[in-house]
Amino acid sequence: MAEGGEKTSLLGGSRSGKFYGSSRSGQSSRGKPETAPEYENFGFRKNNDTFPQIAHNSSGDSDMAKSLPSNFGSNRPVSKEELLFNLKFAHLNSGTDWLSKIVAASGSDPDDPHICHHIKATLKDFPLTMSEKKQLSQRLKNFIETNKRPGGNEMSAYVSQGPSDLAVQGSGAKSASCLAQGSGSLLPSEVWTANITKISAYFGSYVASHFRFLRFLVMLNLLLGLVMMAFVSLPHLINGGFEDNDAHGGFFGKLSKSVFFYGAFHKRGFSREAFGITWSYNSPLAYFLTWCSVYFIALIVIVACMFLRYRRIKQMDYSRENPYSSHLLVGWDYCLTNKEGSTTRSRAISTSLKELMTDEKNRAKEKRLSRKKVVTFRVLGNLFNLGVLAASAYLIILVAQATLHFDDFASDELTDFIQQYELTLVVMAMKLIIPPVLSLLMRFEYYSPRTQVKIEIARTALFYVGSLIGFLVSTYNVAKDCRSKSENGTDPSANITMFDVSTEEPPYCCWENKVGEQILQLVFLDLIAHIFIRLGKTLILAISNKYFNFDRFGKPNFDVSRLNLDLLYGQCLVWLGVYFMPLLPLLVAVNQVIIFYLTYCISLTCLEPPPKVFRASRSGTFDLFVLAASLFLCMMPMGVGIMQLEPSASCGLYQPDARVYDSLIDKIGGFPGWLRETVDFMSTPPFILPVTVVLVFLVLYYHAKSVSHKREAENLRDYLNYTNKVENRRMLAFDRGNKGYTGSLPQNLDGGKKEQSVENQGPSHSSTSNVWLD
Amino acid sequence: MGNKVTTFTDSQLEAYQDCTFFTRQDILRVFERFRELAPDLVPYDMTSDEGSQIKIPLETLEEMPELKENPFRRRICEVFSDDGNGDMSFDHFLDMFSVFSEAAPRDIKSSYAFRIYDYDRDNHLGKLDLEKTLVALTQASLTPEEVEFVVNKVLEETDLDDDGMLSFVEFEHVISRAPEFINTFHIRI
């Protein structure tokens, strides 16, 4: 079993573990290990030969290392396993006469002299010097020749053995780092790998995780955009061309008429003649279904990514348990042969070590306050947050409604300009001002640092989503007013007859387009604000630091959680706006690419790694979780809107008199009767309530299960560590006499004073360790 | 192959094949690289045991593209050379790249890795050895306090018999749990 092998790996692999056991049992008069005289003599024959000292030895305090097992003399019959075991540590015992050992070993078991052949065949596996190997190979060959057995068949098995078993293990494993060194692959998920590696070497894995998140979002948006394009825009393009002449230009001029926006799509499906068959394409259904599937695809991708990432993190266990030693001893990649690669690698190692160290220091700091005070503060804080959220939503709606009653005290252009932009400007301003204020106030709630980051992210995300939904609702309210105008011919608020119902056509009123335009405005404003603020802030800080040594505001650095939240904001815009603008995901993907390169260049030129490193979650899945949650939250108002709101009359795919969902169901042509009844039943309360209750119980059950599993895993891990340490200490305690651990059997040493003193310690150690076991 | 000069006799090549993980072509290819480093020192004809006698000095070896950017290049050459001074003959050169090749098993790689990191050659990785390794690894970008902290942490994690140094078995214990070691301890020639 692997575990057992690992435990005894102390003595160098399971081979030697077996050997240790066998030799112990093979010796007589062993007696109990606790008593000192028995300890000194495990029943091995004493022998006073000592070997020549190891040649390279400059430090004076390691006399132990020089003395080799003294009774490894040429007279003692050596078992095969012991010989192989000692060959494995040949570099610690240099100068031994291996040939005689081998001869002795083969002599000890006359029925099975294959030890010579075996060693000759696997000579390269032992750490001997080249001259030793060549010499040994020659002498073994001669020895075999001279002692050929009459049978001759046994030798053939060993003569040409090819690569040893262990070598197969080595050759099979391709050096991944060597292969990956020069390749810039074009796989979608591998784009920008070189850049991200560089970032992670300079700034650590936490900052690199932001870039990975950005790359994930770009890929997701591209995927969604392609799906939308394939099923919605392309058929329309093929059929009707880029613009729709029925539609009127809106805020974006000609672009509003185009296929970018919802309004351009025809009311009905269309059909074409090709190859003698009429192909018909049901546009409304296609639009609706594609839109639904966009949400599902996004959800599935995010959840799958979370799952995979979580699993991958759980698998690399050892390097998390012993991070320092893995970095130090296994950290360097010998494949790296170019300067850039090696600088990056050493930076990466030093940054991860620094990350580990700051993590440790931070974990030690914890503020402790009285419980009551903390609880009151936290309750107050949460209430305050909710209050701020409600107030900002109200403010948005207020501002939106105010546009209706706008009197002209300024010039018309200015009025127009402000009218067009004010809502988006208000939303933008709120996004920039309020979250930092909230996070400042969070200081008073005294959460532990890791929880604080999580809660901050969650609250800000909630605020963003809330403000965006408020924005959407208010825009809709504004936009749908034109419908009442178009129906009555009068403007209810201003009491003016807009037009003559009988003679003119109703004015063009397409609320979907208006909402879509507002969202697009917001997307552009967001991008521009992002660029300017990021550039401005870092430039000012960098210049003031470099040239004026003005350190008051700190050095410019990364605030990874804030950056991730900005990305989240952009993504929420996509989810809210994809109904109104089919190609919005592609546009936002382009935005995100721009932001990637901007952040990358800025960070490499003038930023420094963040001073304190608090990861929200060790596996980086918290960001994805927040993303999925905001997807849900955005789906809800959109779903409600589709079900409840009236589509526009003058544009788009659906009839104004019915809701979109109902009209689609009718269009499908009717399900079979029983199916329709079932679907109807599923939307009634007697069905939904029990289902909800059952789901809630399932969630609680699995949560409880996972908590208990986690606790059990912790216990098992602790126990495993404990038994490992106890076992190893016990074995090492027996070797106290052989301080210069050469990997050989615990044996008696006739040596200098130092060895004596250590030996005297030995028995007591062994006795105490035995006490542990009893 | 049509060369007028044979580089190695057949028995020499066979011995090399027995003692390293290289095939015939690999050995000849490695010899070409060896010769390129010092064409005036190394003759074409190595049949009379020049393989163990003619040595290329350490400074020339350190300029090799495979070793140039390696912070442990000096230790590598010292470990594989005869008397620890770093000048390598072809035998040592071949041995070195054989250990670093893909076919070498983990045991032999770990025993040589241990020797490379053992700066004072006492067969133990003491505090000084670990400090020197760390400084070489991070190209001196950590402060002395950080170096001390990391070394203490490493000893805490791996030193099972509490003697303040890592013996070879403790080192192997760490290596055996790191599956990527066999990929990273690899130099392609």
Side-chain angles (χ1 to χ4, degrees), chain A residues 45 71 73-80 82 104-105 107-108:
Chain A
R45 259 193 264 152
N71 51 0
S74 38
N75 301 332
R76 189 164 71 85
V78 175
S79 76
K80 257 187 286 185
E82 185 182 349
S108 69

Side-chain angles (χ1 to χ4, degrees), chain A residues 76-187:
Chain A
R76 189 164 71 85
V78 175
S79 76
K80 257 187 286 185
E81 290 90 356
E82 185 182 349
L83 177 62
L84 286 172
F85 182 68
N86 283 301
L87 269 175
K88 188 171 173 287
F89 296 89
H91 60 287
L92 299 170
N93 309 345
S94 78
T96 49
D97 180 14
W98 292 109
L99 182 66
S100 39
K101 305 294 160 303
I102 297 173
V103 167
S106 65
S108 69
D109 191 358
D111 293 326
D112 191 14
H114 296 316
I115 184 71
C116 290
H117 308 296
H118 179 68
I119 290 187
K120 181 167 183 302
T122 59
L123 203 53
K124 41 197 155 184
D125 287 347
F126 302 119
L128 301 158
T129 63
M130 190 60 140
S131 48
E132 279 181 337
K133 280 194 277 198
K134 286 207 288 195
Q135 208 184 39
L136 198 56
S137 161
Q138 187 61 42
R139 290 164 80 185
L140 275 174
K141 202 157 134 192
N142 294 339
F143 177 73
I144 291 171
E145 297 268 331
T146 53
N147 294 356
K148 234 187 203 160
R149 285 169 66 91
N153 283 338
E154 303 87 3
M155 286 203 330
S156 57
Y158 283 99
V159 160
S160 57
Q161 211 178 34
S164 61
D165 298 327
L166 293 173
V168 172
Q169 166 202 355
S171 59
K174 276 269 191 270
S175 174
S177 55
C178 273
L179 286 178
Q181 208 183 346
S183 68
S185 123
L186 283 181
L187 263 188

Side-chain angles (χ1 to χ4, degrees), chain A residues 6-7 9-13 15 54 56-59 61-62 65 88-89 91-93 120-131 133-134 137 141 164 166-179 318-319 321-340 342-343 345-347 349-350 353-354 356-357 360-361 721 724-725 728-729 732 736 739-741 743, chain B residues 14-21 49 51-52 65-72 76 82-84 91-92 94-95 98-100 102-108 111-112 114-117 119-125 130 133-134 136-139 141-143 146-147 149-151 153-154 156-163 165-178 180-188:
Chain A
E6 286 303 333
K7 270 199 211 163
S9 69
L10 191 61
L11 291 180
R15 250 189 325 188
I54 298 179
H56 346 294
N57 198 338
S58 46
S59 59
D61 61 341
S62 47
K88 188 171 173 287
F89 296 89
H91 60 287
L92 299 170
N93 309 345
K120 181 167 183 302
T122 59
L123 203 53
K124 41 197 155 184
D125 287 347
F126 302 119
L128 301 158
T129 63
M130 190 60 140
S131 48
K133 280 194 277 198
K134 286 207 288 195
S137 161
K141 202 157 134 192
S164 61
L166 293 173
V168 172
Q169 166 202 355
S171 59
K174 276 269 191 270
S175 174
S177 55
C178 273
L179 286 178
Y318 184 70
S319 53
E321 282 170 20
N322 296 41
Y324 292 94
S325 36
S326 343
H327 275 117
L328 181 59
L329 299 173
V330 196
W332 184 255
D333 188 352
Y334 286 72
C335 275
L336 293 167
T337 49
N338 60 341
K339 188 149 182 67
E340 166 131 5
S342 76
T343 340
R345 184 78 173 205
S346 65
R347 260 190 197 252
I349 294 178
S350 99
L353 284 173
K354 285 191 183 168
L356 285 168
M357 289 191 272
E360 285 235 9
K361 281 192 221 144
N721 279 339
N724 265 341
K725 292 227 157 162
N728 292 334
R729 279 178 208 263
L732 275 166
R736 280 287 166 175
K739 195 57 166 66
Y741 192 79
Chain B
E14 212 179 284
Y16 281 142
Q17 275 189 294
D18 273 346
C19 300
T20 65
F21 295 99
D49 205 25
S52 52
E66 282 86 354
L67 293 179
K68 201 158 65 117
E69 300 297 337
N70 196 321
F72 303 111
I76 293 175
D82 249 342
D83 35 6
D91 281 0
H92 304 135
L94 192 65
D95 201 19
S98 154
V99 167
F100 276 113
E102 267 183 336
R106 199 183 62 202
D107 288 341
I108 196 173
S111 58
Y112 276 104
F114 182 76
R115 286 168 76 181
I116 289 175
Y117 298 140
Y119 278 80
D120 52 5
R121 303 179 204 170
D122 60 350
N123 285 333
H124 277 82
L125 296 181
L130 292 175
T133 313
L134 187 59
L137 205 54
T138 59
Q139 291 173 3
S141 60
L142 295 179
T143 66
E146 290 174 338
V147 167
F149 185 78
V150 172
V151 168
K153 270 296 197 180
V154 171
E156 187 186 306
E157 285 173 357
T158 55
D159 189 10
L160 297 167
D161 55 355
D162 279 345
D163 56 356
M165 333 187 255
L166 252 63
S167 68
F168 179 54
V169 280
E170 289 160 348
F171 179 78
E172 250 207 327
H173 203 223
V174 175
I175 297 293
S176 68
R177 308 269 220 101
E180 71 269 12
F181 173 72
I182 208 172
N183 291 331
T184 54
F185 200 76
H186 164 51
I187 298 182
R188 178 172 296 182

